[in-house]
Amino acid sequence: MKENINQEQMPAPLIKRLLAIFYDSFLLIAVLFLAMALLLLVSGGHEFQAGNPLITAYLLLVCFVFFGWFWTHGGQTLGMRAWKLQVQQSNGNPINWQHVALRFMTALPAWIVLFIGIALVADIQLATYSWLEQLPILAEWLIFIVGIAWLVVDQWPNGWRDKVSGTRVVKLS
């Protein structure tokens, strides 16, 4: 059943957008586990070297397809559906794969900074990024805080990601 698309819909509140991300992260983690299990089956169970750019590209592609499929089939991920949010073009029409690509690519820098910050603060060994291990603790926390702030600002209605991709996230009635 399709929602009535109204150009006058209100932008989605920031807290609901962040809660939808939180919900979606659980499903995405499960999908990434399955994607890696599939890769391990194909490789005969051989482990992969940390920092392998092909594995990183593969996982990014899985993330892209995950969000792209949901966004192009109703404009909602499961988390967005739970919080009654929808991504759509600025004019209220459904988004296409071009919009998905622009939204995904403009979101990547914020997520990269956030995950580096999480890894540093949690003292996760980043063997392939030895220069990161040399940062003092204050800088590690700063990267973590900047990652969170960037994510929050990036989720703000009419943020740069929405402007670049010509999309918006709205609250459904």
Side-chain angles (χ1 to χ4, degrees), residues 104-164:
F104 189 81
M105 294 307 290
T106 54
L108 275 181
W111 286 102
I112 290 169
V113 170
L114 178 63
F115 286 130
I116 289 173
I118 289 170
L120 290 171
V121 169
D123 198 27
I124 296 171
Q125 296 301 316
L126 298 172
T128 59
Y129 304 104
S130 60
W131 59 273
L132 289 174
E133 295 174 349
Q134 305 305 316
L135 291 174
I137 190 71
L138 182 60
E140 293 172 358
W141 278 97
L142 182 62
I143 290 171
F144 175 66
I145 291 167
V146 166
I148 290 174
W150 194 345
L151 178 66
V152 168
V153 169
D154 194 36
Q155 292 300 318
W156 210 262
N158 299 316
W160 78 290
R161 180 169 40 151
D162 289 334
K163 288 179 182 174
V164 168

